[in-house]
Amino acid sequence: MSMTGTAFQKCINPDCGAEFDCGQAIFKCPACGELLDAQYNWDKIKVPKKLSEFERRWANKSNPLDFSGVWRFRDLLNFCDDKYKVTIGEGQTILQQNDAVAEYADMRAGRLYLQYEGLNPSGSFKDNGMAAAFSHANMAGVSSCACASTGNTSASVALYAHSCGLKATVFIGSGRIAFGKLSQGMDYGAQTIQIQGDFDDCMRQVQDVCTKLGLYLLNSLNPFRLEGQKTIMYRIIEGLGWEMPDWIVVPGGNLGNSSAFGKAFYELKQLGLIERIPRMAIINAAGADTLTDLVNNKKLAWNNGKVDQKIIDNYYADLSARNFSPHTCASAIEIARPVNLKKCLRAIDICNAVCRAVTDEEILEAKAIIGRHGLGCEPASAATIAGLRNLRAESVIAPDERVACVLTGHPLKDPNVTVNYHKENQGKFSNPPIEAPNDIDEIIKMLN
Ligand SMILES: *Cc1c(COP(=O)(O)O)cnc(C)c1O
Ligand SMILES: [Zn+2]
């Protein structure tokens, strides 16, 4: 607890612990270069005594801040004045119980829930974070912003930027972005820079560009974005009638969500709003499995903040030496150097989490099942169900535990992957179109 006001920024490195005012847009600790957290002086914030009290705001939907699925929970991310807050109606999501998908994952009926984030204004969970980060940008008084993106960040940034009157530049890897996402960024009017390289190259470039030109950075190393993403967990608990799930399953790319979810649960426990913290499963794609490899094989751990940097440095040096570039059909998680790695290690500690990697084949099969029986999703989101199925086979998760999988993005984000899977008969749930002559009798014969 320090600084004045309700919130401040604090370096996550316990050997540094430097603190900064909330109004600053700095993104990394100027003293040691580590990630920053938003932290709160909880004694100065009036937090409801019970989570269910947030439900009262449903009755006041004509107030845009009460309608927002992010700002409805504003007491738990109280870093800026209401006058700076931005909303375009994000977070109107649903938690769907799905028994058909449960059966596929070998869960008992009634135990699997899908948190469908595709309902957000730009079609992915990223809007939760952008509502919070653009509010901070407003508070910091900036006029232009930028991000590196595998696609959904750029779509969400472009949408919020024009809503706030900010100029936006998005950096994407050439040939690495799904068509739905690329189309959104251009349509919403962002300046799009296609870099010859992958996401990790874009991430390095955008950090330097933002520092040199003073642009506001909207990647998930922005601590305020993660504050917005905490609300995905609040809405899952809300969807369960304010009861806790046993497991949260989330795809892992840049590790923003897993980091945010761990922080959300830690704070709720500290505040006495929940009694126990659920476990978490973070699912990588096999072609981009840095986290899984580091945690399961190289034994990298949070270790009270004293992370063994040498393990990470050696790992990344080896990636560079091999000229490694990640590859998976789940382009949203095609990331080899996740910027939130250390925060994610902390979340793994908080949630007693496990990490696993799933193949593209497993992702595509799970995606087809979610499409056939649920609301559909993009490939990265389906990694959750593929991972859950494997964790059931390993008996890490029991069939009657209550599991919530975060479906991060809308099915129309990546139509190419979906069309190829079905049209080219790539898997056992392929549902290809049937060629028919333009003749009523022939057509009827085919339908019989
Ligand atoms: C950005 C994104 C991810 C990865 O998010 P992290 O929390 O940073 O790992 C996963 N799925 C979708 C659809 C995304 O857009
Ligand atoms: Zn520091």
Side-chain angles (χ1 to χ4, degrees), residues 124-126 152 220 251-258 332-333 378 380-381 408-409:
S124 85
F125 79 83
K126 296 292 195 302
N152 281 331
S220 54
N254 233 350
L255 308 176
N257 271 334
S258 44
I333 52 175
E378 65 167 281
S381 317
T408 44

Side-chain angles (χ1 to χ4, degrees), residues 28-309:
K28 277 193 174 174
C29 174
C32 78
E34 260 312 329
L35 297 168
L36 297 170
D37 266 332
Q39 291 288 351
Y40 300 96
N41 289 316
W42 291 112
D43 55 344
K44 294 187 180 156
I45 298 171
K46 203 165 156 283
V47 179
K49 292 205 168 49
K50 286 197 328 216
L51 277 176
S52 58
E53 287 179 32
F54 283 106
E55 225 165 71
R56 273 200 230 123
R57 293 198 172 132
W58 278 113
N60 195 27
K61 286 200 293 196
S62 59
N63 173 359
L65 294 185
D66 285 340
F67 180 73
S68 164
V70 169
W71 296 121
R72 220 151 31 81
F73 299 100
R74 54 190 172 272
D75 317 82
L76 298 170
L77 52 154
N78 194 337
F79 61 82
C80 78
D81 210 89
D82 280 359
K83 69 174 185 258
Y84 297 120
K85 287 188 180 124
V86 173
T87 175
I88 55 172
E90 60 287 326
Q92 305 305 317
T93 57
I94 58 167
L95 184 71
Q96 180 195 48
Q97 191 200 302
N98 195 312
D99 289 344
V101 179
E103 190 182 338
Y104 173 75
D106 193 26
M107 296 292 303
R108 243 182 49 200
R111 307 311 284 171
L112 176 66
Y113 293 80
L114 306 176
Q115 171 66 16
Y116 182 53
E117 290 289 321
L119 283 174
N120 275 292
S122 80
S124 85
F125 79 83
K126 296 292 195 302
D127 296 345
N128 295 286
M130 293 308 166
F134 274 87
S135 301
H136 179 256
N138 253 347
M139 176 164 76
V142 302
S143 60
S144 21
C145 61
C147 68
S149 182
T150 62
N152 281 331
T153 300
S154 64
S156 186
V157 162
L159 185 54
Y160 276 84
H162 79 223
S163 306
C164 302
L166 260 62
K167 183 174 179 297
T169 305
V170 306
F171 292 78
I172 56 175
S174 56
R176 299 298 188 111
I177 181 169
F179 253 53
K181 308 174 187 183
L182 178 62
S183 68
Q184 286 179 290
M186 297 188 297
D187 207 41
Y188 299 146
Q191 181 178 54
T192 303
I193 311 279
Q194 242 172 318
I195 292 181
Q196 287 169 358
D198 57 25
F199 174 83
D200 299 300
D201 299 316
C202 291
M203 194 65 234
R204 277 188 294 255
Q205 296 291 355
V206 77
Q207 289 188 61
D208 289 348
V209 169
C210 283
T211 310
K212 289 211 165 89
L213 302 182
L215 304 181
Y216 187 86
L217 178 65
L218 282 155
N219 281 97
S220 54
L221 58 81
N222 180 321
F224 300 98
R225 237 190 79 182
L226 300 195
E227 292 305 293
Q229 289 168 216
K230 291 193 305 193
T231 65
I232 300 169
M233 293 302 102
Y234 308 152
R235 295 199 301 273
I236 286 180
I237 303 170
E238 183 180 47
L240 293 173
W242 307 105
E243 288 179 10
M244 294 302 285
D246 297 305
W247 286 87
I248 299 291
V249 187
V250 61
N254 233 350
L255 308 176
N257 271 334
S258 44
S259 299
F261 299 170
K263 185 169 187 282
F265 289 123
Y266 182 83
E267 290 171 349
L268 291 180
K269 181 101 194 305
Q270 291 283 303
L271 290 167
L273 290 168
I274 60 172
E275 280 171 11
R276 79 182 161 84
I277 291 175
R279 295 190 69 186
M280 183 157 59
I282 307 167
I283 313 298
N284 281 149
D289 65 348
T290 297
L291 178 75
T292 303
D293 208 6
L294 282 173
V295 170
N296 294 353
N297 304 326
K298 309 284 188 285
K299 306 298 169 202
L300 187 70
W302 173 242
N303 193 22
N304 290 317
K306 302 200 182 302
V307 177
D308 190 342
Q309 183 67 41

Side-chain angles (χ1 to χ4, degrees), residues 403-422:
V403 177
C405 292
V406 183
L407 299 186
T408 44
H410 196 283
L412 290 177
K413 289 286 191 174
D414 195 341
N416 295 50
V417 164
T418 308
V419 169
N420 289 341
Y421 177 82
H422 290 294

